[in-house]
């Protein structure tokens, strides 16, 4: 990446990139807490249930920034899907019989979050060229 490309990229794109990677990291930590609770110390469930409140808003911020910063449509759509998947995690954690879907959705959340983070700059640059 050239110095000129860095200067031409709006701050909203860089913040969006940071939020996307922050969300990826938070999902990894959340998964770690669940694993620790299952395999080491059951009291870690409290950390698992509390930590989500720290990062559950990140996809909403990504979505708002996507529109405010005029980011490409795929970023906005993915941010919306991430937000919906976070809500679905609450449903599967609290709806009897739906708990088996909770870790499956977590895998999807992580995959989509990584894919979104990796695509922020390339999709913005493609949109600017074409």
């Amino acid at each position: 990446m050239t110095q000129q490309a860095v200067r031409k990229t709006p701050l909203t794109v860089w913040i969006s990139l940071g939020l996307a990677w922050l969300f990826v990291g938070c999902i990894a930590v959340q998964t770690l807490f669940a694993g620790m609770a299952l395999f080491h110390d059951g009291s870690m469930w409290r950390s698992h249930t509390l930590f989500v409140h720290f990062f559950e808003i990140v996809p909403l911020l990504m979505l708002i920034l996507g529109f405010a910063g005029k980011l490409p449509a795929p970023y906005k759509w993915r941010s919306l899907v991430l937000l919906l998947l976070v809500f679905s995690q609450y449903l599967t954690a609290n709806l009897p019989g739906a708990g088996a879907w909770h870790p499956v959705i977590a895998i999807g959340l992580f995959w989509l979050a990584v894919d979104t983070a990796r695509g922020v700059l390339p999709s913005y640059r493609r949109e600017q060229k074409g």
Side-chain angles (χ1 to χ4, degrees), residues 6-34:
V6 171
R7 270 188 255 121
K8 287 185 178 181
T9 305
L11 182 60
T12 54
V13 174
W14 292 112
I15 293 171
S16 299
L17 178 66
L19 285 172
W21 282 113
L22 172 68
F23 192 64
V24 169
C26 287
I27 294 170
V29 169
Q30 184 73 339
T31 305
L32 175 67
F33 286 153

